[in-house]
Amino acid sequence: MAEAHQAVGFQFTVTPEGIDLHLSREVLKHIYLSGVTSWRKRAIRLKNGILTGVYPASPSSWLILVIAIMSTLYTRVDPSMGMIDSIKETLPVSDYMTVQTQTVVSAILFATGLWFSLILILRYTLKALLSYHGWIFESHGKKSFSTKLWLNLVKMLSGQRPLLYSFQASLPKLPVPRVEDTVRRYLESVRPLLDDEAYKQMETVANEFEKDPAPKLQKYLILKSWWSANYVSDWWEQYIYLRSRGPIMVNSNFYTMDLLYITPTHRQAARAGNVVHAMLQYRRKLERGEHAPMRALGIVPMCSFQMERMFNTCRIPGVETDYLQHLKDRKHLVVYHRGRFFKVWLYYGGRHLFPSELETQFQRILGDPTEPRPGEERLAALTAGDRVTWARARMKYFSQGVNKASLDAIETAAFFLTLDDESHGYDPENGRSLDMYAKSLLHGKCYDRWFDKSFTLIIYKNGKMGLNAEHSWGDSPIVGHMWEYVLATDCFQLGYTEEGHCKGDTNKGLALPTLLQWDIPSECQEIITRSYTLAKEIADDVDFHSFLFDEFGKGLIKRCRTSPDAFIQLALQLAQFRDKGKFCLTYESSMTRMFKEGRTETVRSCTCESTAFVRAMEDEGKTQNTQRLELFQKAADKHQNMYRLAMTGSGIDRHLFCLYIVSKYLGIDSPFLKQVRDSSFLGLEDVADDGYGVSYIIVGENLITFHISSKFFSPETDSYRFGQNIRQAMLDIKALFNVEKKKP
C-alpha cells in the first residue's frame, strides 16, 4: 500500500461543480528534490567535462591569459604581432560595437585562440613524452638521468588534481609492431616446445609468411591503427568475447573475493546495505569523472576507458553475436533470493538510500515468504548456458508482456545482487573452505547469478561476500579498483553498530521491493532445464584448489633482488614440469593500458631460459646451486624483459591475432597463421582441457594466495597435486638464496 500511495502524485474527481484536484504534498516534494538532484548532477558533469576537455589547462588559466593580453593594450605592446588588429577589422561597427568594444572583443578572441593552441601543444608534448618507454626497461631503483628528466617533465605537464578522464586525449596509440620482430619473437617462444624437425618446419612456414602475405596484412593494420583509437581492442572485444557462442560461466567470467580475515558484520542484510551504498558512492564519482586516474609510479597515466561500462551494463545475447547494452543513471537494482527476483529503488527524495535504509529493504526480501513462480527459480541458468539457446529463448519468450518487463528490469539495473542462502569464506580449520568459496563465486548453483550483468554482487548468509564479473566490458584490474574502494568504504568509513547493523535511522516509509512477475510456459521451462544441465556439467567438472602461501612473500623475494612476478612464474614452470614431466605453452596476461583503450597482451612464460633453469633444478647432484642461481637470474631477466615488451606494445599474440583477422577478411589462407591459431593464445580457441589455470595475488610482504583450476575429466590434471608442486617449487627456489623471512 505504501508503494501505491507514493506512486500517485495527484488525484482528481469530476463533479458537477468541476474538477476537484487533490495534490500529494509528499510526492510533489520528492518530485521536486529528484529534479533538483538531476540538474545538480548535470551541472557537475558539465563542469567536470569542461575541466577534462581543457586539461592540462584550467578555466582560470584562460582568465589569467585574457587579463594579461588585455593589460598589454594599455602598455602599447602588441604580443599578437598584428593579429588583434586583423580580428578587429573583421568585426562590424555599430552602436553596440564601439571601437573600444571591438578592441576588447578582439583581444579576448585572440587570447582564447592562443589558450586553445597552448592546450594542444601541451597535450601533444605530453603524448610524445608518454610514448617514451625506456624507463620501464631500466633496473629497479636505478634511474638514468634521461629517465629522471623525463619523469619530471611528465609530472610538470600532468597538472594538478587531474580527473579520471583528464589524460585520455594525451595517451599515445598502441603501436603496430614490425612483422619481422613479431615472427622472430614467436619462433623464439616455441623453440623450447618443438624438436629440431618441427622447429625447422615452423621456421620455414614463418619465413614464407614474412615474405607474403604479411606485408599486405600489415598495411591494413597500420591503416587501422591510424583510423581507430586502438587497432586491437575493438576486434578483441568482438571476436574473443561477444562472438563466442559457448557458455560464459566459468569459461569467461571471473570472480573477486572478500577480505580473508575480516568480516565486519555477520548480518547479511547489513553487509549488503553498506556495500551497495559504497558502490553507489563509487558510481557517482565515476559518472562525474571524479576518481583520480590510475598511474604507474604515481606519475604515468593509464587508460580509464574500460571504467565507463562498469555499471548499468548488460551483455545481450544474439544468435550470431552478443552486444553490450550500456545505459546511464540507472536508479534501481535487481536482487535474487531463494528463487525470486526483486526490484529495489536506490533513490529516495533525490538522494541515494542510506545504508540503514538499504538494510531495511534487503531484510524485507530475506523475510518475504513468497514462493518462486514456475520456471523462475532457475531462470538465470539461461545466462550460464549456450548463447544461441539463450538468444532464441529471449526472442521467443521474453519479448512481450510481463516477461519482457521483468527482463528489462534486470538488464537495465545498475547491477545484480544475490542474497545467497549459503555461508562461505575462509576457515583456517577447514582446508577446503577456500576451494568451496571460490567455486561458489565462480559459478554458484549455476542459476543464482545473472552472468550477463557487468557484475553480480554476492552476499552470503554469514556476511561474507564476493563478485562475479562478466569479462567483455573490462578486465580484472578495473574491477579490482572498484572493489578496493568498496572494501575500504565498508570497513573504515561506514562501519556498523555494536549489534552489526548499518549505522543510521531506519525509514519505514520506503516503498516495498517489487517482486518481478513471470509467465514462463512449459516449453521455455524445458529450455531452462537444458541450460541448467549444461551449466551444471561445466561447474561440476571444475577441479578447484586455493591455498595461502605464507612461508614467505614479496618482501623476501625482493631481498633476493628479483621480480616477485618472475619468481612465481619460474616456480610455476618448475611445478608444471614436475607435474607432467614436460613443458607447455604458458599464458600470462599483461596490461597495455598505458595506451589509449589498451586492454591486455600475452606474455609467453615458457622460454629457453626458463626450461634450462628447470632442467638444472631437476638435475640432482650434477648441477651446483651457483649454476642454478645463475640460470634462474637469466630466466628471470628474460621474463621481465618479455613482460616489459608486452606492456609497451611489442607483444606477440595480439599482433598475430589482428593479422589473422585481416587475413580472414581478405580471404587469404596462411599456413603460418593457421598453425599459430591451432597451437597458441590468439584467443580463438579454448584454453587446453588438460592444462591448469593459475591465479595468484601478492598480499602484503608475507602472503601470496594461489587459485588453481583444472578439469576433473582430464586424467592428467589434479589441482590439489599441482598446488603442492607450486608450494614445493617456491620453497626450492627460495633455498637457492641465502635469505630468511623477516620476523614480524
Side-chain angles (χ1 to χ4, degrees):
M1 291 299 294
E3 183 182 4
H5 284 301
Q6 290 190 18
V8 181
F10 67 91
Q11 297 176 341
F12 66 90
T13 305
V14 180
T15 66
E17 290 77 18
I19 297 177
D20 186 13
L21 187 63
H22 303 279
L23 297 177
S24 171
R25 184 174 300 176
E26 182 67 18
V27 173
L28 290 178
K29 174 186 174 184
H30 285 293
I31 293 173
Y32 167 76
L33 292 174
S34 180
V36 170
T37 301
S38 178
W39 281 105
R40 185 188 300 126
K41 188 181 297 184
R42 292 178 187 176
I44 293 173
R45 286 177 180 172
L46 176 62
K47 181 198 74 172
N48 291 339
I50 293 172
L51 292 175
T52 298
V54 302
Y55 202 83
S58 64
S60 60
S61 64
W62 171 82
L63 183 60
I64 292 171
L65 186 60
V66 168
I67 293 174
I69 296 297
M70 293 290 292
S71 64
T72 62
L73 299 178
Y74 298 96
T75 59
R76 297 185 179 180
V77 176
D78 185 7
S80 70
M81 295 183 292
M83 291 184 66
I84 292 178
D85 291 335
S86 298
I87 296 171
K88 183 178 176 182
E89 291 175 0
T90 64
L91 297 177
V93 179
S94 65
D95 294 338
Y96 301 101
M97 185 72 72
T98 62
V99 174
Q100 186 175 3
T101 304
Q102 280 184 318
T103 304
V104 171
V105 171
S106 300
I108 293 174
L109 290 174
F110 170 76
T112 302
L114 178 62
W115 183 64
F116 278 117
S117 300
L118 291 174
I119 290 173
L120 291 175
I121 291 171
L122 288 174
R123 281 185 177 176
Y124 280 104
T125 302
L126 184 57
K127 180 179 287 190
L129 288 170
L130 294 176
S131 298
Y132 166 76
H133 298 116
W135 62 274
I136 205 171
F137 292 94
E138 294 182 349
S139 300
H140 182 69
K142 296 180 181 179
K143 294 186 179 69
S144 64
F145 173 77
S146 59
T147 294
K148 290 179 181 178
L149 177 62
W150 173 80
L151 284 171
N152 286 326
L153 287 172
V154 171
K155 191 174 182 179
M156 180 178 68
L157 291 177
S158 295
Q160 297 181 349
R161 296 188 297 275
L163 297 173
L164 181 62
Y165 302 113
S166 293
F167 293 109
Q168 289 300 104
S170 301
L171 291 174
K173 289 187 176 184
L174 183 69
V176 181
R178 296 195 316 156
V179 171
E180 311 89 84
D181 293 338
T182 298
V183 170
R184 174 176 53 81
R185 291 178 185 133
Y186 173 78
L187 290 173
E188 186 180 332
S189 72
V190 299
R191 185 64 188 95
L193 305 171
L194 302 176
D195 58 32
D196 291 344
E197 183 178 350
Y199 179 75
K200 188 174 181 180
Q201 187 271 337
M202 175 60 78
E203 194 174 33
T204 301
V205 174
N207 289 335
E208 291 174 355
F209 168 76
E210 195 174 325
K211 295 175 183 176
D212 181 66
K216 182 177 182 180
L217 304 180
Q218 181 78 346
K219 288 178 182 177
Y220 281 96
L221 273 193
I222 292 173
L223 180 63
K224 185 174 189 285
S225 72
W226 292 345
W227 180 255
S228 61
N230 188 295
Y231 82 93
V232 175
S233 294
D234 58 337
W235 282 351
W236 188 255
E237 179 180 299
Q238 180 182 0
Y239 291 104
I240 303 307
Y241 293 117
L242 298 180
R243 288 206 176 191
S244 173
R245 301 295 80 202
I248 61 175
M249 184 200 75
V250 173
N251 298 321
S252 178
N253 285 32
F254 58 93
Y255 68 88
T256 302
M257 282 185 169
D258 194 3
L259 298 170
L260 289 177
Y261 301 108
I262 300 174
T263 307
T265 180
H266 293 285
R267 296 184 182 274
Q268 186 177 18
R271 190 77 195 279
N274 261 13
V275 170
V276 169
H277 184 77
M279 286 182 168
L280 294 178
Q281 288 184 323
Y282 182 92
R283 185 181 71 161
R284 179 169 57 193
K285 294 185 69 176
L286 181 63
E287 290 174 342
R288 295 175 178 179
E290 292 177 344
H291 288 290
M294 286 181 272
R295 292 194 271 188
L297 304 178
I299 297 174
V300 184
M302 290 187 282
C303 182
S304 302
F305 170 74
Q306 293 180 53
M307 302 178 78
E308 294 179 4
R309 299 182 292 184
M310 186 179 298
F311 294 90
N312 321 323
T313 299
C314 190
R315 178 171 175 161
I316 307 299
V319 174
E320 294 184 356
T321 182
D322 297 350
Y323 69 92
L324 288 174
Q325 173 184 270
H326 175 66
L327 306 170
K328 291 186 177 180
D329 200 24
R330 298 292 91 190
K331 296 186 177 181
H332 74 278
L333 63 79
V334 170
V335 182
Y336 179 91
H337 174 62
R338 213 168 49 80
R340 296 87 41 82
F341 296 85
F342 295 85
K343 182 177 180 179
V344 177
W345 291 103
L346 300 172
Y347 287 79
Y348 179 81
R351 60 165 174 80
H352 289 151
L353 292 185
F354 296 134
S356 57
E357 295 171 331
L358 287 165
E359 179 185 359
T360 299
Q361 297 293 70
F362 299 142
Q363 192 60 53
R364 287 171 171 173
I365 292 173
L366 292 173
D368 191 300
T370 309
E371 291 297 321
R373 297 179 67 84
E376 180 180 9
E377 182 179 15
R378 294 182 176 178
L379 174 63
L382 290 170
T383 69
D386 178 74
R387 302 304 295 174
V388 176
T389 300
W390 172 210
R392 288 174 174 161
R394 185 178 183 274
M395 288 187 290
K396 186 173 182 180
Y397 301 107
F398 299 91
S399 59
Q400 58 186 353
V402 294
N403 289 348
K404 183 181 188 304
S406 295
L407 182 62
D408 285 347
I410 295 173
E411 293 179 340
T412 62
F415 54 92
F416 193 83
L417 167 64
T418 293
L419 295 175
D420 208 298
D421 55 5
E422 294 182 351
S423 294
H424 284 289
Y426 173 59
D427 181 359
E429 298 180 359
N430 182 357
R432 292 282 296 169
S433 62
L434 265 183
D435 303 354
M436 301 307 296
Y437 182 22
K439 277 180 67 70
S440 176
L441 291 173
L442 186 62
H443 53 66
K445 298 175 183 176
C446 303
Y447 58 79
D448 53 355
R449 289 91 174 91
W450 199 271
F451 294 100
D452 285 352
K453 287 300 290 182
S454 54
F455 65 86
T456 295
L457 173 64
I458 303 147
I459 309 290
Y460 291 105
K461 196 173 181 179
N462 59 346
K464 298 300 286 187
M465 66 174 184
L467 205 72
N468 181 288
E470 200 276 320
H471 210 329
S472 64
W473 65 268
D475 302 312
S476 58
I478 304 300
V479 175
H481 183 270
M482 180 268 289
W483 197 240
E484 289 179 4
Y485 176 95
V486 168
L487 290 174
T489 303
D490 171 36
C491 295
F492 305 119
Q493 293 185 23
L494 299 176
Y496 300 88
T497 65
E498 293 182 0
E499 294 79 19
H501 292 287
C502 295
K503 294 180 179 178
D505 298 328
T506 59
N507 183 353
K508 296 182 179 180
L510 293 173
L512 294 173
T514 305
L515 179 65
L516 298 185
Q517 300 298 312
W518 306 93
D519 182 14
I520 303 174
S522 57
E523 298 87 353
C524 185
Q525 293 179 38
E526 292 176 4
I527 296 173
I528 293 171
T529 300
R530 290 199 297 270
S531 292
Y532 168 70
T533 301
L534 172 62
K536 193 172 188 304
E537 287 177 0
I538 295 172
D540 290 344
D541 194 37
V542 176
D543 177 12
F544 210 99
H545 177 56
S546 301
F547 69 94
L548 307 183
F549 183 85
D550 55 5
E551 282 84 350
F552 60 89
K554 178 176 65 175
L556 182 141
I557 296 174
K558 285 188 172 181
R559 284 162 53 209
C560 297
R561 297 190 175 184
T562 190
S563 156
D565 179 68
F567 189 102
I568 296 171
Q569 286 293 325
L570 289 172
L572 294 179
Q573 291 298 318
L574 179 56
Q576 158 69 20
F577 189 78
R578 288 173 174 175
D579 189 82
K580 292 190 175 182
K582 61 182 180 180
F583 299 104
C584 69
L585 277 170
T586 309
Y587 172 103
E588 182 187 7
S589 181
S590 165
M591 69 91 179
T592 56
R593 286 175 44 236
M594 290 190 295
F595 300 98
K596 194 170 186 178
E597 297 187 17
R599 291 196 64 163
T600 59
E601 175 57 278
T602 298
V603 180
R604 293 169 170 247
S605 303
C606 183
T607 62
C608 293
E609 290 80 1
S610 68
T611 56
F613 164 70
V614 169
R615 293 188 189 280
M617 289 293 290
E618 295 301 277
D619 189 17
E620 296 181 6
K622 297 182 181 180
T623 307
Q624 300 295 322
N625 274 358
T626 52
Q627 294 174 292
R628 291 171 176 163
L629 196 58
E630 183 179 343
L631 290 171
F632 171 85
Q633 199 57 57
K634 287 182 179 178
D637 290 345
K638 176 66 175 181
H639 180 82
Q640 277 295 94
N641 186 61
M642 291 193 306
Y643 201 96
R644 290 162 175 163
L645 286 171
M647 287 181 64
T648 53
S650 297
I652 302 169
D653 289 84
R654 299 301 182 265
H655 186 203
L656 290 175
F657 160 75
C658 289
L659 290 171
Y660 178 82
I661 296 299
V662 174
S663 74
K664 293 290 101 179
Y665 276 129
L666 298 178
I668 296 175
D669 187 19
S670 167
F672 171 72
L673 290 177
K674 185 177 183 301
Q675 289 191 44
V676 171
R677 181 202 65 186
D678 293 341
S679 63
S680 192
F681 299 117
L682 292 188
L684 298 163
E685 302 292 337
D686 292 336
V687 176
D689 289 335
D690 58 351
Y692 292 104
V694 182
S695 171
Y696 53 89
I697 303 173
I698 300 172
V699 185
E701 296 294 306
N702 299 304
L703 178 65
I704 303 171
T705 64
F706 286 92
H707 305 255
I708 305 160
S709 64
S710 60
K711 296 186 177 182
F712 279 117
F713 86 80
S714 172
E716 298 183 27
T717 58
D718 184 310
S719 292
Y720 177 80
R721 181 186 72 207
F722 193 56
Q724 297 307 302
N725 284 332
I726 292 174
R727 184 184 295 275
Q728 191 58 51
M730 294 282 288
L731 294 173
D732 289 347
I733 295 176
K734 178 250 183 184
L736 299 176
F737 299 87
N738 188 25
V739 293
E740 295 296 331
K741 177 181 175 181
K742 288 184 178 180
K743 295 181 180 180

